[in-house]
Amino acid sequence: MRKVNLAVVGATGMVGRTFLKVLEERNLPIDNFYVMASARSAGSKLTFMGKEYTVEELTEHSFDKPIDIALFSAGGSTSAKFAPIAAEHGCIVVDNSAQWRQDPKVPLVVPEVNPEDIKWNSGIIANPNCSTIQAMVVLKPLDDKYKIKRVVYSTYQAVSGAGVSGWKDLENGLKGEAPKKFPHPIANNCLPHIDVFMDNGYTKEEMKMIWETRKILHHPDMRVTATTVRVPVFNSHSESINVEFENPVDINEVKELLSKAPGVVVKDNPANNEYPLAIEAAGKDEVFVGRIRRDESVENGINIWVVADNIRKGAATNAVQIAELIVNSLN
Ligand code: 25A
Ligand code: L14
């Protein structure tokens, strides 16, 4: 594998720091390495592969030097401005924000699901929303086998999804302090509100799950609905997913298919109280699925419970896997 020059943009954030950790673990072949963030943290130090790196301020000139791949997680407005500058300089951006995901010129990729889509990139590849990624890894083999007719998502999302400030709201809220990031206390509470409200009454997080599911599975008309809820959990998103299929399903075959699916671990043994749990998924890269059962209210339906670390598979790990696909395509 050829060595690449790689930059991490938003390196001091929740996802940015995890990019560094995952890059170290997976040993991507890196030649020159750069860490970038806002002026706020320029000059601070980050350790990568035992070496200390100084955080640079992200500017219009950051990509004047040769950089092959940049992993961005610095928010939508930063990506809107700087990802095109990086791409113009020949760098391939893997962007973790929602800024480019619906752009028809930008592939939206989960490596276990639609790796072939990286081929038609024009300098920017989007990393999907954390809640979408973990659902896709599980739904893809089922769609291939039974053809999905309709999906109903209900999510139970960790505060780490809202970055450093979301984490602090739960930490401080448990001590009785008022929230700064969320509109209501998150400690001992559930907020049916993630990202902004839209004209149709859905939140943008819900609409992202709907739009992104269709784009990744290449089913532009798939019937999908979602309710996304913030819960007082530090890390790992849990999801109840109800799926209706065109074709008849056999529940044992579903378990068999999922146990063979790449990136998926079936944890489904109710007799021993075994099912996926947020505290067990945290720190791991796999997507855990359990409570696999028939939806007895329809002819061809199932209910499942899907849990994954939203900062790792939901953000950093998925982006690094995309970077690996890019590196392989350069050879
Ligand atoms: O609303 P937006 O614009 O879409 O932004 C959403 C925010 O959500 C996070 C991320 O916050 C982002 O800022 N995020 C995005 N995608 C996410 C995902 N999939 C996600 N979180 C979870 N899952 P974050 O706090 O994790 O990281 C922010 C990083 O982006 C850098 N950054 C911000 N503006 C920038 C920029 N880099 C370049 N140019 C810009 N204009 C940011 O750098 C950080 O690396 P920094 O220098 O601003 O951060 C310095 C230190 O400040 C602390 N901190 C950061 N944000 C907050 C904060 N403290 C309190 N409140 C904050 N909002 C951190 O400790 C950081 O180390
Ligand atoms: O990737 O949990 O679009 O607040 C935006 C909001 C990720 C999570 C995205 C949150 C997200 C997020």
Side-chain angles (χ1 to χ4, degrees):
M1 233 188 254
R2 115 151 147 81
K3 283 193 171 185
V4 290
N5 296 337
L6 190 135
V8 173
V9 176
T12 53
M14 188 82 75
V15 174
R17 288 168 192 274
T18 310
F19 277 148
L20 268 59
K21 216 188 296 172
V22 175
L23 284 166
E24 282 181 339
E25 291 168 7
R26 298 180 71 102
N27 245 319
L28 200 81
I30 295 171
D31 193 2
N32 295 304
F33 185 67
Y34 305 96
V35 284
M36 303 174 187
S38 75
R40 261 203 293 185
S41 51
S44 63
K45 313 272 188 204
L46 291 173
T47 304
F48 179 68
M49 297 292 239
K51 228 181 115 184
E52 208 169 65
Y53 290 84
T54 303
V55 176
E56 302 175 26
E57 181 184 354
L58 176 67
T59 70
E60 282 88 343
H61 296 293
S62 296
F63 299 91
D64 292 352
K65 47 190 174 290
I67 298 178
D68 302 290
I69 301 173
L71 306 179
F72 271 61
S73 188
S77 51
T78 307
S79 289
K81 179 163 175 203
F82 293 98
I85 296 175
E88 274 163 30
H89 283 77
C91 175
I92 300 181
V93 173
V94 181
D95 182 44
N96 191 48
S97 81
Q99 184 64 34
W100 302 99
R101 291 180 191 150
Q102 295 312 314
D103 188 315
K105 292 187 297 299
V106 174
L108 183 63
V109 176
V110 179
E112 292 86 346
V113 175
N114 60 334
E116 69 282 359
D117 283 339
I118 76 148
K119 286 193 208 110
W120 51 269
N121 83 81
S122 37
I124 303 175
I125 298 170
N127 203 47
N129 177 276
C130 34
S131 303
T132 314
I133 291 175
Q134 69 185 69
M136 290 302 92
V137 175
V138 170
L139 293 187
K140 169 68 175 169
L142 302 180
D143 184 45
D144 285 347
K145 180 82 185 178
Y146 307 113
K147 196 164 191 314
I148 293 175
K149 190 168 164 188
R150 179 169 183 254
V151 180
V152 182
Y153 292 122
S154 308
T155 72
Y156 304 71
Q157 296 185 217
V159 294
S160 58
V164 174
S165 49
W167 188 286
K168 285 188 179 156
D169 256 22
L170 178 54
E171 213 168 51
N172 297 333
L174 290 168
K175 296 184 219 150
E177 285 178 32
K180 292 196 181 112
K181 169 80 176 177
F182 303 124
H184 304 284
I186 183 62
N188 296 310
N189 216 358
C190 295
L191 308 180
H193 175 183
I194 299 179
D195 209 332
V196 296
F197 277 100
M198 313 208 39
D199 289 344
N200 64 355
Y202 281 70
T203 62
K204 194 165 173 210
E205 185 77 353
E206 290 159 352
M207 292 312 299
K208 283 182 287 192
M209 287 193 81
I210 296 167
W211 295 326
E212 295 176 21
T213 295
R214 292 176 178 152
K215 180 163 175 175
I216 295 164
L217 294 179
H218 304 142
H219 281 306
D221 304 317
M222 186 183 281
R223 287 199 277 162
V224 188
T225 189
T227 302
T228 60
V229 180
R230 184 86 63 196
V231 296
V233 166
F234 281 105
N235 206 15
S236 294
H237 291 349
S238 304
E239 300 179 352
S240 157
I241 311 182
N242 174 265
V243 198
E244 201 181 339
F245 300 99
E246 298 286 353
N247 299 312
V249 281
D250 174 83
I251 218 72
N252 288 325
E253 194 182 50
V254 167
K255 290 180 187 172
E256 173 90 17
L257 275 174
L258 291 177
S259 66
K260 289 191 198 132
V264 175
V265 174
V266 175
K267 199 167 184 350
D268 195 13
N269 191 358
N272 283 344
N273 300 336
E274 283 174 15
Y275 29 76
L277 294 174
I279 54 172
E280 288 174 3
K284 309 224 170 71
D285 287 322
E286 294 91 350
V287 176
F288 297 85
V289 58
R291 302 295 324 278
I292 303 166
R293 63 205 191 278
R294 181 170 282 288
D295 172 357
E296 295 181 339
S297 71
V298 294
E299 205 170 339
N300 304 319
I302 62 166
N303 285 307
I304 53 177
W305 178 250
V306 177
V307 182
D309 185 322
N310 56 300
I311 300 296
R312 290 186 65 101
K313 182 56 184 165
T317 302
N318 198 75
V320 172
Q321 287 176 291
I322 294 174
E324 289 169 348
L325 292 174
I326 299 167
V327 172
N328 286 329
S329 76
L330 295 175
N331 291 328

